[in-house]
Amino acid sequence: MGLFDDLSRFLENRLEEFLRNNPHLELEALLEQLREQEEDTLKLIADLQLQEKRSQEEILSTAQEIQRWHIRVQKAKNANREDLASAAGEREAALLREGNQRWGHMQGLKERINQSQELLHKIQQRRQEVQAKAAEAQTARDNAQTQQRFETSGWSNKTSSSSSGFDDLEEQFRSWETQDELEQMKRNLGK
């Protein structure tokens, strides 16, 4: 197992290094992960809502049964059939307990739906943030490529500019700041 662990660790390290050197790919991977989380959360919400609907139907059915047995209790009492009234009363009480349990279950489902919707909202916000960072990184890459082409053509013309060093520094800081913000978002997402 040591060989496989070493190989796995080596591959993970290489992947992390590759992603650090290509932050736009790291952003794409993070976006894909967020898309999957959003999809899973939407499925969970749909499933919970279906369960809630079934629970509501069960509660309604139980309420109708309670009403039916309550009427029977009254009929038996009016006919002085205490034996039937007592048995019907017990059945009504059992149905009331069952109805209360089902009501509690439905309330739990509603709470889980609310929590899932809050989670979905957070995922969607995070996805928008990452998309904005990805767009910003793409713009930075495009600018860097344009600058590189400009500098390459500048070499052939043998002209130099003192602002070129400043632009390189600006680009380095943008890249570093983007990477730092990405790391911060990943830490926040992991919470």
Side-chain angles (χ1 to χ4, degrees):
M1 284 303 251
L3 177 63
F4 289 115
D5 290 339
D6 290 343
L7 180 60
S8 176
R9 213 172 5 259
F10 171 76
L11 291 175
E12 286 176 17
N13 290 338
R14 294 293 295 156
L15 178 61
E16 287 176 11
E17 180 182 334
F18 177 76
L19 290 175
R20 272 194 306 273
N21 293 335
N22 298 284
H24 63 285
L25 295 178
E26 193 171 12
L27 286 171
E28 288 300 320
L30 191 55
L31 273 174
E32 183 58 32
Q33 182 183 18
L34 288 168
R35 278 187 210 105
E36 289 173 6
Q37 288 177 351
E38 183 176 5
E39 189 176 301
D40 290 346
T41 305
L42 285 169
K43 286 178 185 175
L44 175 63
I45 290 171
D47 181 55
L48 289 172
Q49 287 174 335
L50 184 61
Q51 288 180 41
E52 180 188 25
K53 187 175 187 318
R54 283 189 204 129
S55 183
Q56 288 172 346
E57 290 169 358
E58 290 171 354
I59 290 170
L60 182 59
S61 174
T62 303
Q64 290 170 343
E65 278 295 299
I66 291 169
Q67 186 178 23
R68 190 167 68 104
W69 282 100
H70 183 74
I71 292 170
R72 286 181 171 177
V73 167
Q74 294 305 316
K75 272 186 179 180
K77 283 183 179 179
N78 290 342
N80 290 325
R81 291 290 310 264
E82 288 301 318
D83 58 328
L84 289 177
S86 176
E90 289 174 16
R91 176 72 59 93
E92 181 185 14
L95 286 168
L96 281 169
R97 285 190 297 276
E98 182 181 325
N100 285 335
Q101 288 174 346
R102 289 184 179 188
W103 183 263
H105 177 71
M106 185 186 70
Q107 292 303 109
L109 287 171
K110 285 183 180 204
E111 181 62 30
R112 286 182 63 200
I113 289 170
N114 288 339
Q115 291 170 349
S116 297
Q117 288 172 336
E118 288 174 18
L119 175 63
L120 177 64
H121 181 67
K122 287 178 183 178
I123 290 170
Q124 288 171 336
Q125 280 182 323
R126 184 76 62 198
R127 192 168 148 206
Q128 288 174 349
E129 291 171 6
V130 173
Q131 283 174 329
K133 292 293 177 195
E136 190 177 300
Q138 179 65 41
T139 301
R141 271 196 323 282
D142 292 345
N143 289 343
Q145 289 172 351
T146 302
Q147 182 67 26
Q148 188 177 21
R149 280 193 292 266
F150 176 72
E151 289 173 2
T152 304
S153 66
W155 280 92
S156 63
N157 294 337
K158 296 185 179 181
T159 59
S160 65
S161 167
S162 62
S163 67
S164 175
F166 178 74
D167 291 340
D168 288 342
L169 182 61
E170 177 72 23
E171 186 57 41
Q172 287 174 353
F173 264 92
R174 281 187 185 169
S175 176
W176 173 68
E177 290 167 344
T178 301
Q179 182 67 27
D180 187 53
E181 289 177 14
L182 174 63
E183 291 297 323
Q184 182 65 34
M185 283 194 308
K186 283 173 42 180
R187 282 192 294 275
N188 289 343
L189 185 62
K191 291 181 181 178

